[in-house]
Amino acid sequence: VGRISPLGLGDDTAQVTPHEFVTKMLEAQSDRINVVLGTCSGVDTNQGTGTNRKITAVKYLPRGGDDDNAEEAMLAADAVIVSAGPWSCAAEDWFRGAVELPMEGIKSTSIVWKKPEGAEQVDATALFCGE
């Protein structure tokens, strides 16, 4: 067992379910955005070199239908945010060496549970374990 130290005192921390968080964010901006579901497979760029190369589109495999025969689609873009947490390093190849992310994804377990019926408050304590 390694060192354990508090991350917060409960009144200044929170835990959210990623699905619930994203769903609420999308609902709040539904009049300003269009959601496209799929699996990102890369980016397309203009013919520039080095730092002069600009992103022009995101390549993806659309969700749904026959995934084995899905054709790659393109979504025009002039900027891209890669927000896959520690798995973002999987996107390094998309940028042909222009981006290096000093991290690595580690599969771990998280437990999400519903507040017990009748409970007024739920203890915000969480334990994060290192490797």
Side-chain angles (χ1 to χ4, degrees), residues 28-99:
Q29 297 298 317
S30 63
D31 59 329
R32 299 179 57 202
I33 61 173
N34 180 31
V35 176
V36 177
L37 299 177
T39 301
C40 189
S41 56
V43 295
D44 200 30
T45 61
N46 65 7
Q47 298 304 312
T49 58
T51 58
N52 293 326
R53 191 169 49 233
K54 304 289 183 200
I55 291 175
T56 57
V58 172
K59 300 175 188 177
Y60 70 99
L61 298 171
R63 184 183 292 178
D66 184 0
D67 290 337
D68 290 336
N69 296 316
E71 288 189 35
E72 190 172 68
M74 302 273 257
L75 183 63
D78 59 2
V80 173
I81 298 171
V82 178
S83 57
W87 294 274
S88 296
C89 57
E92 285 180 343
D93 293 342
W94 302 345
F95 301 101
R96 300 181 202 145
V99 175

